[in-house]
Amino acid sequence: MFEIELLGTGSAAQVPVWGCDCIACERARVEPQRRRHSASLALHTPDGVTLVDAGLMDLAERFRFETIRRVLLTHFHMDHVQGLFPLRWSERAERIPVYRPDDPQGCDDLYKYPGVFAFQPPLQPFSPLAFDDFTLTALPLHHSRPTFGYLIDLAGGYRVAYLTDTVGLPEETRAYLAARTPQLVLLDCSEPPREPAPRNHNDLTRALQIHRQLGAGRTILTHIGHRLDSWLLTQSYELPAGVELGRDGQRLRCPPC
């Protein structure tokens, strides 16, 4: 059994955005299921839980210490690592490995005071790393900090690509994925269609272009901002077949039953 839990599907500002009265933010205030927290995943396997990013501040309430096998960080922006800060002070003797891109700056003092977290040497791009229940490959992305997406290979040939935070894809990453077509892509899409492209994140135009380039059977959009939610609520527009908005708490069985 391999199950992906979308812990959060929002951008750094989350939804609702503080002080905003747009249609998406107002809806999220009255309908909690419409809220979007910091983009992150939990990978559930018989071996335990792998966290992909740690932007949520209630991880201690969601997961028991002994269930967490490892943490995978896409990058060191605060909305992707802030949940580690309180957890590191656990007094358990065990250490939880943290895998990461090569970013010597890291985030605040996490490297200096990692507590229960054992930061591993930086992952190498396009070099598969085998765990008990899946194989992981780090994929460089276009962002303002060193950032990795991840390709997850499961037994039987099922592949999942997690691609956030990025605007477009580096050519070497696009070619690598095109040669290993993932059946499921979880893809950054922070903004509605716009020109010029956003600086650090996909708008809908770039996200749909990546969907077509990779030929995935199913693409779920994540790292969604309130402007995209509002645009979709007010436009006569339907996402193309095979593309959908992710939602916080969504669970995905891989491969599907």
Side-chain angles (χ1 to χ4, degrees):
M1 184 276 291
F2 185 96
E3 189 176 61
I4 299 173
E5 180 184 6
L6 278 64
L7 298 177
T9 58
S11 62
Q14 307 183 75
V15 180
V17 175
W18 189 40
C20 181
D21 59 0
C22 74
I23 185 173
C25 290
E26 292 290 10
R27 183 183 69 163
R29 290 189 181 97
V30 299
E31 300 179 31
Q33 70 273 20
R34 306 290 187 178
R35 290 176 174 264
R36 298 190 186 279
H37 298 91
S38 298
S40 52
L41 305 177
L43 309 180
H44 297 268
T45 78
D47 190 45
V49 175
T50 296
L51 297 179
V52 184
D53 284 335
L56 303 187
M57 296 303 293
D58 63 349
L59 292 171
E61 286 71 51
R62 292 172 180 255
F63 303 102
R64 292 180 60 84
F65 183 99
E66 58 270 17
T67 66
I68 303 299
R69 302 294 296 162
R70 64 190 64 86
V71 179
L72 310 176
L73 296 179
T74 59
H75 64 299
F76 281 93
H77 276 150
M78 186 61 77
D79 58 312
H80 293 261
V81 301
Q82 60 191 355
L84 297 183
F85 282 84
L87 298 186
R88 62 179 167 167
W89 303 119
S90 171
E91 296 183 357
R92 294 285 289 264
E94 302 93 327
R95 294 294 178 262
I96 298 172
V98 180
Y99 299 87
R100 60 189 175 91
D102 188 3
D103 187 342
Q105 183 179 351
C107 182
D108 197 66
D109 63 357
L110 271 176
Y111 285 158
K112 187 175 182 179
Y113 301 110
V116 297
F117 296 109
F119 284 90
Q120 304 299 298
L123 292 169
Q124 298 303 306
F126 310 112
S127 296
L129 177 62
F131 299 119
D132 288 344
D133 295 315
F134 62 92
T135 297
L136 182 80
T137 305
L139 308 171
L141 298 179
H142 283 311
H143 199 50
S144 57
R145 297 285 295 269
T147 302
F148 280 150
Y150 292 113
L151 180 64
I152 299 165
D153 280 275
L154 304 179
Y158 194 87
R159 294 189 176 104
V160 179
Y162 186 57
L163 306 172
T164 190
D165 295 18
T166 192
V167 54
L169 293 178
E171 175 55 27
E172 56 185 351
T173 294
R174 185 208 63 77
Y176 188 90
L177 288 171
R180 299 162 179 81
T181 304
Q183 287 86 348
L184 173 64
V185 174
L186 305 171
L187 179 61
D188 182 296
C189 186
S190 294
E191 299 284 345
R194 54 172 285 187
E195 294 295 342
R199 187 169 64 92
N200 280 322
H201 297 277
N202 289 324
D203 67 340
L204 184 58
T205 301
R206 276 79 188 175
L208 294 182
Q209 182 181 32
I210 292 171
H211 168 71
R212 293 190 297 268
Q213 288 174 338
L214 300 185
R218 185 182 186 188
T219 296
I220 297 178
L221 304 180
T222 188
H223 208 288
I224 295 164
H226 69 138
R227 284 184 292 269
L228 177 57
D229 273 339
S230 293
W231 188 85
L232 290 169
L233 284 168
T234 57
Q235 302 296 313
S236 298
Y237 178 86
E238 292 187 9
L239 292 170
V243 180
E244 63 193 87
L245 295 181
R247 62 183 186 278
D248 286 23
Q250 186 174 0
R251 286 179 174 257
L252 308 165
R253 184 78 176 266
C254 301
C257 296

